[in-house]
């Protein structure tokens, strides 16, 4: 296995460049605000980029979730919406797309990823059981904890080191996991919660070797292995690029192989699948599926729409097939990497290697004079917005929340500010602007003062917390 070094442009490598495999058919004007307007908007938003109005944002890198541009085929699919309460034709199209592309037997639509996280947590966790996972995701962990589960991080140590160049920083440390199993007893493990391209670690992939080893371990101890497939297509790209024996396999084949080693998956289709809303839960076990199918009517809607309109399911079915096309995924990761290369070349501290969906600025090294309790990553997102109108998101101490038992802040090793790149939305010129904006605030880093939290909501505080300048 080798860690690749990405190409910024073909010309620099002495070969021809590639470009996005699409052209733009419809445009949405952007608004550039003045520094005074931004200062006012940010103060009104309590220095939390989630509380800004999108009208006040120039380039929006808050998230890659639900922010994709749909294709003309997906838009056409919306007109084929069969808005029947039960048995919509679009549900069967979605079911077929998930079965074909991901390979699971039973499929339930849900309104978005956390709808599926809720269902799987309620049916597969008994109070007090452990849920080992390759790092955490905010909503995933919260649903597991609300179901009485005890989250345990079993990711490899390299994942917590932003400078480690390990090619698969999303991998599980099998010996950490096995020692938890032998200590707690297999019966006390609800399931292994495995996420592709680990969001909070910087969009870092999991290797096929890792999921294979997990399968063996799970078979040995009779534990279930469930996958957060939200960005698994991006994960498949990294396997193709970095793992021995996969260079000549298609993205679709790699994805199917990976999923075939797991017992089921939940999905936020707002990412890989190129839609603005939607998700699913898929399980191979018929009895467990039966429980999920019964519970979905309580929280989402009937099992053939799960909180979605027929047209949304059609757009999702089409998006799934587009998402595994090689030229699409190469351009998607290529654009993220292009921005990563610009920032790396300017010596801005970013999480390495650059991951699949976003650039993560390392706020600890960006602002070494701030303590973690002064919210360096939140500060960085605020400064970036003030400078340029570019919207980013905190992924550090605020996102990590508090320990449910002690009530203390979690203090994650990673204190990051995420620049998430929506799919098929911005051009290379926008990436140049973003890089220049980050470089500008990096040049003024010594004057950054940090923030104080003035309001803290109970759940997922990063969404709605408010801050002020000291
Ligand atoms: N799993 C992962 C890895 C995610 O990144 C997300 C959402 C979810 C589950 C939940 O899905 O939003 O459809 O309910 N991540 C978004 C983000 C919010 O910005 O990273 P959802």
């Amino acid at each position: 296995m080798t860690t690749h070094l990405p190409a910024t442009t073909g010309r620099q490598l002495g070969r021809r460049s590639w470009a996005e495999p699409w052209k733009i058919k419809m445009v949405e004007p952007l608004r550039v605000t003045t520094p005074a307007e931004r200062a006012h908007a940010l103060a009104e938003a309590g220095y939390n980029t989630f509380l800004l109005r999108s009208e006040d944002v120039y380039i929006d890198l808050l998230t890659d979730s639900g922010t994709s541009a749909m294709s003309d085929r997906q838009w056409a699919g919306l007109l084929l919406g069969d808005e029947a309460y039960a048995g919509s034709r679009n549900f069967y199209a979605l079911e077929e797309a998930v079965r074909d592309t991901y390979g699971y037997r039973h499929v339930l639509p849900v309104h978005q990823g956390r709808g599926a996280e809720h269902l799987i947590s309620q049916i597969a966790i008994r109070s007090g059981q452990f849920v080992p996972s390759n790092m955490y995701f905010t909503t995933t962990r919260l649903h597991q904890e609300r179901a009485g589960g005890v989250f345990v991080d079993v990711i490899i140590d390299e994942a917590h080191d932003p400078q480690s160049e390990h090619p698969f920083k999303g991998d599980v440390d099998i010996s950490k996991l096995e020692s938890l199993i032998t200590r707690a007893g297999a019966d006390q493990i609800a399931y292994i919660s495995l996420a592709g391209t680990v969001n909070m670690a910087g969009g870092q992939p999991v290797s096929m070797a890792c999921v294979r080893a997990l399968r063996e371990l799970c078979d040995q101890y009779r534990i279930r292995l469930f996958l957060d497939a939200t960005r698994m297509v991006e994960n498949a790209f990294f396997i193709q690029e970095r793992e021995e024996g996969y260079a000549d396999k298609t993205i679709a084949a790699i994805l199917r192989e990976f999923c075939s080693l797991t017992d089921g998956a939940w999905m936020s289709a707002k990412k890989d699948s190129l839609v603005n809303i939607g998700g699913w839960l898929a399980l191979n076990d018929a009895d467990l599926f039966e429980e999920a199918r019964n519970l979905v009517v309580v929280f989402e809607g009937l099992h053939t729409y799960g909180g979605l309109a027929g047209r949304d399911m059609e757009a999702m079915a089409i998006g799934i097939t587009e998402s595994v096309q090689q030229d699409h995924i190469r351009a998607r990761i290529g654009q993220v990497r292009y921005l990563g290369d610009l920032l790396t070349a300017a010596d801005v501290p970013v999480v390495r290697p650059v991951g699949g969906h976003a650039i993560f600025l390392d706020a600890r090294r960006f602002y070494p004079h701030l303590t973690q309790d002064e919210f360096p990553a939140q500060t960085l997102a605020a400064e970036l917005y003030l400078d340029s109108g570019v919207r980013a998101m905190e992924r550090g101490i605020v996102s990590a929340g508090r320990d449910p038992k002690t009530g203390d802040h979690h203090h994650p090793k990673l204190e990051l500010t995420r620049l998430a790149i929506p799919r098929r939305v911005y051009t290379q010129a926008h990436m140049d602007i973003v890089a220049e904006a980050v470089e500008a605030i990096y040049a003024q880093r010594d004057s950054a003062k940090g923030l104080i939290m003035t309001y803290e909501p109970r759940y997922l505080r990063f969404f709605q917390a408010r801050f002020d300048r000291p």
Side-chain angles (χ1 to χ4, degrees):
M1 282 188 304
T2 51
T3 314
H4 72 282
L5 267 183
T8 297
T9 63
R11 184 170 307 179
Q12 278 164 295
L13 284 184
R15 63 167 194 244
R16 303 286 287 264
S17 293
W18 55 269
E20 286 77 5
W22 36 260
K23 58 184 176 174
I24 296 164
K25 182 151 17 198
M26 190 188 283
V27 298
E28 179 181 334
L30 296 175
R31 191 166 84 93
V32 182
T33 48
T34 63
E37 284 172 327
R38 290 195 292 276
H40 178 72
L42 192 65
E44 289 269 295
Y47 294 86
N48 185 346
T49 50
F50 276 103
L51 301 179
L52 287 166
R53 290 171 182 241
S54 90
E55 272 182 345
D56 294 329
V57 173
Y58 173 33
I59 298 175
D60 201 348
L61 307 186
L62 182 71
T63 175
D64 63 325
S65 181
T67 52
S68 295
M70 292 204 295
S71 67
D72 50 1
R73 291 174 63 253
Q74 287 177 291
W75 279 102
L78 295 186
L79 294 178
L80 300 177
D82 169 9
E83 307 306 342
Y85 189 91
S88 159
R89 141 163 53 82
N90 314 117
F91 163 71
Y92 296 102
L94 172 66
E95 185 183 52
E96 193 182 320
V98 174
R99 282 183 177 156
D100 281 357
T101 305
Y102 292 86
Y104 300 111
R105 280 199 277 283
H106 309 292
V107 183
L108 269 184
V110 292
H111 79 283
Q112 60 181 71
R114 70 199 71 175
E117 290 171 343
H118 176 213
L119 298 177
I120 187 78
S121 302
Q122 291 297 321
I123 61 177
I125 299 173
R126 268 187 286 116
S127 191
Q129 280 186 314
F130 294 103
V131 189
S133 178
N134 53 344
M135 208 172 259
Y136 78 101
F137 185 69
T138 52
T139 57
T140 318
R141 184 178 67 190
L142 181 61
H143 279 297
Q144 291 163 348
E145 287 174 348
R146 281 172 60 82
V150 180
F151 166 84
V152 185
D153 186 6
V154 290
I155 204 166
I156 57 172
D157 289 342
E158 285 87 341
H160 294 281
D161 173 5
Q163 286 166 280
S164 160
E165 293 278 350
H166 193 292
F168 289 105
K169 284 166 91 171
D171 278 358
V172 167
D173 183 328
I174 300 289
S175 63
K176 271 189 208 169
L177 175 58
E178 196 158 16
S179 83
L180 172 73
I181 297 171
T182 46
R183 227 177 328 124
D187 186 50
Q188 276 306 100
I189 310 292
Y191 54 87
I192 314 292
S193 174
L194 182 72
T197 50
V198 180
N199 194 349
M200 304 303 278
Q204 303 295 334
V206 179
S207 64
M208 194 72 82
C210 171
V211 70
R212 220 176 280 123
L214 285 172
R215 179 75 267 158
E216 264 179 39
L217 197 73
C218 286
D219 287 345
Q220 183 188 340
Y221 289 99
R222 302 176 136 268
I223 296 171
R224 287 182 295 219
L225 174 56
F226 294 129
L227 177 66
D228 181 337
T230 297
R231 297 186 185 83
M232 255 323 289
V233 177
E234 291 169 4
N235 201 106
F237 178 87
F238 289 113
I239 290 176
Q240 187 190 54
E241 181 181 68
R242 298 177 184 173
E243 197 163 352
E244 190 90 45
Y246 288 92
D248 297 327
K249 297 209 167 137
T250 63
I251 293 297
I254 297 169
L255 181 65
R256 280 282 301 238
E257 181 179 338
F258 198 104
C259 293
S260 75
L261 295 161
T262 67
D263 299 303
W266 63 89
M267 177 73 185
S268 169
K270 299 169 74 173
K271 284 78 165 177
D272 270 352
S273 308
L274 301 160
V275 284
N276 306 122
I277 194 74
W280 44 262
L281 174 67
L283 298 166
N284 287 338
D285 183 276
D287 293 338
L288 196 63
F289 178 73
E290 194 55 38
E291 282 186 57
R293 200 170 81 127
N294 189 211
L295 203 60
V296 77
V297 299
V298 183
F299 294 102
E300 303 279 317
L302 191 71
H303 57 276
T304 56
Y305 76 87
L308 295 166
R311 55 180 171 271
D312 298 326
M313 293 189 280
E314 190 65 28
M316 196 175 1
I318 298 169
I320 289 171
T321 57
E322 291 180 1
S323 72
V324 291
Q325 289 167 9
Q326 182 76 35
D327 55 356
H328 159 70
I329 192 68
R330 180 178 71 164
R332 192 294 182 272
I333 306 258
Q335 186 177 46
V336 174
R337 199 168 276 180
Y338 174 80
L339 177 58
D341 283 356
L342 291 177
L343 293 173
T344 304
D347 285 329
V348 173
V350 300
V351 173
R352 301 283 316 164
V354 166
H357 66 301
I359 301 301
F360 289 74
L361 304 173
D362 184 354
R364 283 184 193 273
R365 280 187 293 147
F366 209 100
Y367 293 140
H369 60 290
L370 298 182
T371 66
Q372 197 168 22
D373 290 347
E374 293 171 297
F375 308 115
Q378 189 79 33
T379 303
L380 210 169
E383 294 296 334
L384 183 63
Y385 175 74
L386 287 174
D387 178 81
S388 61
V390 172
R391 171 153 71 169
M393 179 201 293
E394 196 265 7
R395 294 275 78 153
I397 184 170
V398 184
S399 294
R402 292 178 185 273
D403 186 302
K405 279 222 183 80
T406 64
D408 295 337
H409 288 299
H410 286 297
H411 281 90
K413 289 206 182 109
L414 295 175
E415 178 69 25
L416 309 175
T417 305
R418 186 182 76 171
L419 304 166
I421 315 296
R423 294 165 186 79
R424 309 193 290 206
V425 170
Y426 292 114
T427 67
Q428 196 153 309
H430 290 115
M431 297 300 112
D432 291 338
I433 300 273
V434 172
E436 288 167 25
V438 173
E439 286 168 43
I441 58 163
Y442 192 52
Q444 302 156 18
R445 58 193 179 275
D446 295 343
S447 58
K449 295 272 188 303
L451 291 166
I452 45 174
M453 203 190 294
T454 55
Y455 165 68
E456 179 178 353
R458 181 156 162 216
Y459 298 120
L460 304 173
R461 62 186 185 177
F462 57 95
F463 283 131
Q464 291 151 337
R466 300 184 68 86
F467 301 82
D468 208 344
R469 294 192 140 152

